[in-house]
Amino acid sequence: MNEFSPRALGISHLTYFDYCMLHSADFGGPESLHPKLPAGPGEFGIKRKLIEGGLQLMLRAGLIEVRAADTGIIYSATESASGFIEVLDSDYLDQLQQRASWVAREMSFMDDQQLAEAMKEVYVRWAEGIDPNVVNAATEEYTDE
């Protein structure tokens, strides 16, 4: 959120942008921080719950603000967020910061409709990459038992 400041984001944008940071190469960006997993976009459902918990924690710590908008509940970084981020130090966090800057630069223009289309595209690309022979073999093994 700090990279998008002062813009406020809803949970859908936060979840999608988090996915884009971790899997940036899938979107034409820098090398991904996390490997591709068979679950692919199934991560969205899991991530959303984790992000909601993180938002509650950051709200209690005064690192973000929350408010209601016409589009729903939105979150934005406070001035304290920058200072907090600056004291954190690790190679992974440095790389994550670079990916966050890339996402903010490349995707900050997205409105809700564009976000929905981009998420749909992630699912389609993931589904196209599934080898039906592997799925069929796994299904046959499961049904034979």
Side-chain angles (χ1 to χ4, degrees), residues 90-108:
S90 77
D91 289 340
Y92 179 81
L93 288 174
D94 290 343
Q95 291 180 41
L96 191 60
Q97 181 70 36
Q98 292 169 6
R99 298 324 183 274
S101 295
W102 175 80
V103 168
R105 226 179 16 260
E106 298 295 322
M107 301 178 179
S108 63

Side-chain angles (χ1 to χ4, degrees), residues 5-135:
S5 188
R7 181 179 174 196
L9 301 169
I11 189 76
S12 295
H13 276 82
L14 290 169
T15 304
Y16 180 72
F17 291 155
D18 178 78
Y19 185 87
C20 292
M21 284 190 316
L22 300 178
H23 302 283
S24 49
D26 293 349
F27 301 92
E31 180 182 351
S32 296
L33 289 175
H34 292 187
K36 287 186 180 188
L37 299 173
E43 257 182 82
F44 282 124
I46 296 167
K47 284 286 188 177
R48 185 178 178 102
K49 285 287 186 196
L50 293 172
I51 289 171
E52 287 172 348
L55 288 169
Q56 291 175 9
L57 180 63
M58 289 185 286
L59 186 60
R60 285 193 301 269
L63 299 174
I64 63 170
E65 297 174 335
V66 61
R67 65 181 187 274
D70 293 342
T71 57
I73 296 173
I74 55 175
Y75 305 88
S76 59
T78 64
E79 290 181 18
S80 301
S82 295
F84 178 76
I85 291 169
E86 287 175 14
V87 299
L88 301 175
D89 185 35
S90 77
D91 289 340
Y92 179 81
L93 288 174
D94 290 343
Q95 291 180 41
L96 191 60
Q97 181 70 36
Q98 292 169 6
R99 298 324 183 274
S101 295
W102 175 80
V103 168
R105 226 179 16 260
E106 298 295 322
M107 301 178 179
S108 63
F109 63 88
M110 294 178 122
D111 61 20
D112 290 340
Q113 181 63 35
Q114 291 167 315
L115 178 64
E117 287 298 317
M119 290 176 87
K120 180 179 170 184
E121 189 176 313
V122 169
Y123 281 99
V124 168
R125 281 198 324 249
W126 174 75
E128 287 172 349
I130 296 174
D131 182 348
N133 296 321
V134 172
V135 173

Side-chain angles (χ1 to χ4, degrees), residues 131-145:
D131 182 348
N133 296 321
V134 172
V135 173
N136 289 339
T139 304
E140 288 171 9
E141 279 182 35
Y142 181 73
T143 55
D144 287 343
E145 292 179 358

